Amino acid sequence: MTSVTHSFLSKYFQAFLNTTLTKTLNESIRTLQSYRFVIIGFFACMIFGGFEFLELFFTEPQNANLQTPVGFLCIWFVRNILSNWILIDTENARLEWQYLCYLSYFALLPLLSSTLLWLRVQHRGFRDNHLFSVQLIAGLLGMSALLLVLAAQFAAFLSLRRALVWLALLMLAYSGVHLYYVFSSPTLAIHHWKIGVFYLFAQLSLYGICFAIVLALKRDIRQRQRLSVAYAELQATQVILSDTVRVTERTRIARDLHDILGHHLTALNLHLDLALRHSSLMNLETSTNSGNDNTLHQTLVVSRELARDLLTEVRAVVSSEKNDREINLQNALTILCTSIPTPIIGLHFITPDKPIPVHIAHSIFCCVREAITNAIRHANAKNMKITIKQHELKLSVQIHDDGRGCDRLIENNGLRGMQERLRLCGGEFRLDHAHNQGFYLNMLFPLNEYHT
């Protein structure tokens, strides 16, 4: 007994552990997918900015090239401001302080880019022109390779038209600064201007390539997301349709049972009643062979009772099959929510006391599907929460997302369709929204009314 118990507990613990690990792993993968832009952008900032910093860090202060706008600012700061605060009496000390200021700038620049990238992913309010301007100016002051990451961010976070405008602004600004330093130096302008122009075109090409790659990846991700949403909707709709077909088929079978068996059993009861009356008349007319007649009479009575009981049971089974018209709404919604990678949808389904009618379940499924589609296409939400529970004699469906929201809502066909479905079901519809605070939907479906 002890070995059996130990085997059962070990199998149960192993199954529980496997389920927990699988669930944790899936949640971790979904979380990493939602933060993939932050992770890729962070590594890009660290790689480009890190190489620049390390190259400068292992260069002697006397050999460091400070021929950039921020380099001239560092020279001016050390000579005109810092020299008044501390005593810098030699040219080597002045060069070291200039080098230290220049090195500090390139150490802070990757951190600034990574922080702004994280804020843009997490908070839409930081996708502002002013912050892009700050990052553009900071990159141009150092002629930094992090401008490649900035060009990629234009494609990732802005619409195509705005992204192209910012990319053109970046190229024009970089070209102006680069050509100024090439042709302001007599040596470069006379002997090496071709190399400077070639380097400029190569750098502008890299900006365009980074922009195009991220734009293509963005479109590919959107196509994959649409495909995953369509597949999830197809799976959930298949569950709904299979349940609907099952209910329809059971209703048809129940109707056939009622029409065929009910008709024949009713005819059988009529004939048994007729035979029972004839048997009673024969018993009154003749008194001979009363034993056999009584046996025949009792047999007819029992047959009639059995036929009536059978007809009652058939009618009860038919009524039960017709009333059992509930579909598995929770299973369909679970498949729909778990099959969509972004946004991360949390479904809280509390089974109501009363069964959900077919038309109510179908309307809830269509409304939830439309809300998820709107959150993906228009709100660009990262997280959604769907709560379905019974509230008195109504079924409450609450949907909330963390999308960008809006101050003024323009109703589309999806919202109007949701309102029409609720109106046909006799339900109530409430929508709250605000800028950068997402959407909140609250729908109430009656459970005590059965519309057909």
Side-chain angles (χ1 to χ4, degrees):
M1 188 67 181
T2 305
S3 60
V4 173
T5 305
H6 182 268
S7 176
F8 173 77
L9 290 177
S10 62
K11 291 181 179 180
Y12 177 80
F13 178 75
Q14 184 177 3
F16 174 76
L17 186 61
N18 291 334
T19 304
T20 305
L21 289 177
T22 303
K23 185 177 179 181
T24 305
L25 183 61
N26 292 333
E27 291 180 354
S28 301
I29 292 175
R30 294 184 67 183
T31 304
L32 289 176
Q33 287 179 348
S34 62
Y35 288 98
R36 57 183 177 271
F37 285 118
V38 179
I39 297 173
I40 295 173
F42 177 78
F43 278 108
C45 292
M46 292 297 105
I47 290 173
F48 288 108
F51 278 136
E52 282 187 331
F53 175 78
L54 290 176
E55 181 184 4
L56 187 62
F57 182 80
F58 289 107
T59 303
E60 295 295 330
Q62 294 79 10
N63 299 326
N65 182 14
L66 275 64
Q67 299 299 315
T68 59
V70 72
F72 291 121
L73 287 175
C74 291
I75 294 172
W76 175 84
F77 175 75
V78 172
R79 291 180 180 272
N80 297 287
I81 296 178
L82 192 61
S83 297
N84 297 327
W85 295 347
I86 60 176
L87 180 61
I88 304 178
D89 52 355
T90 62
E91 184 64 23
N92 288 332
R94 188 177 294 112
L95 289 175
E96 289 180 357
W97 277 106
Q98 294 171 5
Y99 170 79
L100 183 60
C101 293
Y102 196 66
L103 185 65
S104 301
Y105 179 84
F106 278 92
L108 293 176
L109 192 57
L111 298 178
L112 174 65
S113 300
S114 302
T115 303
L116 289 178
L117 175 63
W118 181 80
L119 291 175
R120 287 191 184 103
V121 173
Q122 295 299 113
H123 306 283
R124 291 175 181 83
F126 286 90
R127 299 178 191 178
D128 191 84
N129 295 340
H130 300 293
L131 293 178
F132 276 121
S133 302
V134 170
Q135 196 168 353
L136 176 60
I137 294 173
L140 287 173
L141 288 176
M143 304 294 285
S144 173
L146 289 173
L147 291 174
L148 294 170
V149 182
L150 182 61
Q153 290 185 37
F154 292 156
F157 297 109
L158 299 177
S159 61
L160 181 59
R161 182 177 298 179
R162 291 182 61 194
L164 289 174
V165 171
W166 275 99
L167 180 64
L169 180 62
L170 168 62
M171 290 183 172
L172 288 175
Y174 184 86
S175 300
V177 175
H178 180 82
L179 292 177
Y180 172 78
Y181 285 109
V182 170
F183 291 99
S184 63
S185 174
T187 303
L188 291 177
I190 295 174
H191 301 286
H192 303 289
W193 67 270
K194 293 182 179 179
I195 297 176
V197 172
F198 174 78
Y199 179 81
L200 173 63
F201 278 105
Q203 193 69 20
L204 295 181
S205 300
L206 288 177
Y207 293 151
I209 291 172
C210 289
F211 182 86
I213 290 175
V214 174
L215 187 63
L217 288 175
K218 180 181 177 181
R219 291 186 175 180
D220 181 70
I221 290 173
R222 285 185 176 179
Q223 291 295 332
R224 289 177 180 271
Q225 189 178 27
R226 291 177 182 176
L227 183 62
S228 63
V229 171
Y231 181 69
E233 291 179 354
L234 180 62
Q235 281 187 310
T237 305
Q238 185 179 6
V239 173
I240 293 289
L241 287 177
S242 63
D243 288 344
T244 304
V245 170
R246 174 183 57 81
V247 169
T248 304
E249 186 65 17
R250 293 177 68 175
T251 303
R252 185 190 64 80
I253 294 174
R255 188 182 299 113
D256 292 342
L257 284 174
H258 181 270
D259 294 341
I260 298 173
L261 293 181
H263 171 74
H264 289 293
L265 288 175
T266 301
L268 179 60
N269 279 327
L270 292 176
H271 284 82
L272 288 174
D273 288 338
L274 181 61
L276 191 59
R277 285 196 295 271
H278 279 290
S279 175
S280 299
L281 292 176
M282 291 176 61
N283 288 335
L284 292 175
E285 291 177 357
T286 60
S287 57
T288 60
N289 297 328
S290 59
N292 294 331
D293 292 336
N294 288 332
T295 302
L296 177 62
H297 181 76
Q298 292 296 329
T299 303
L300 290 174
V301 170
V302 172
S303 299
R304 184 185 64 180
E305 294 299 327
L306 289 175
R308 287 180 176 177
D309 292 341
L310 181 59
L311 180 60
T312 302
E313 291 179 1
V314 168
R315 288 175 176 173
V317 171
V318 169
S319 299
S320 175
E321 291 296 322
K322 287 186 176 181
N323 292 330
D324 185 16
R325 302 183 62 179
E326 183 181 4
I327 63 177
N328 196 345
L329 177 62
Q330 183 177 2
N331 186 24
L333 292 178
T334 301
I335 293 175
L336 177 64
C337 295
T338 55
S339 301
I340 296 177
T342 304
I344 300 176
I345 304 175
L347 177 64
H348 302 277
F349 192 100
I350 302 176
T351 306
D353 299 334
K354 292 186 176 182
I356 304 175
V358 175
H359 73 285
I360 297 290
H362 184 264
S363 298
I364 292 175
F365 175 78
C366 292
C367 291
V368 171
R369 182 181 59 187
E370 183 62 32
I372 294 175
T373 303
N374 289 337
I376 294 174
R377 291 182 179 176
H378 307 295
N380 195 19
K382 300 298 181 183
N383 297 279
M384 285 189 71
K385 183 179 180 181
I386 302 174
T387 303
I388 300 177
K389 61 182 179 180
Q390 184 176 352
H391 179 69
E392 296 179 353
L393 295 178
K394 296 182 179 180
L395 190 65
S396 173
V397 180
Q398 300 175 0
I399 304 175
H400 181 258
D401 64 70
D402 61 351
R404 55 172 167 253
C406 64
D407 294 327
R408 182 173 176 268
L409 179 65
I410 299 176
E411 292 188 357
N412 54 11
N413 293 328
L415 286 176
R416 285 194 290 268
M418 295 168 66
Q419 294 176 0
E420 290 175 359
R421 291 182 184 277
L422 279 157
R423 194 179 304 114
L424 291 175
C425 296
E428 302 174 12
F429 180 86
R430 186 167 66 92
L431 173 64
D432 294 329
H433 56 88
H435 184 64
N436 289 330
Q437 295 183 10
F439 281 83
Y440 175 77
L441 288 172
N442 187 14
M443 297 173 285
L444 295 176
F445 293 85
L447 290 176
N448 57 345
E449 297 180 8
Y450 290 85
H451 301 270
T452 56

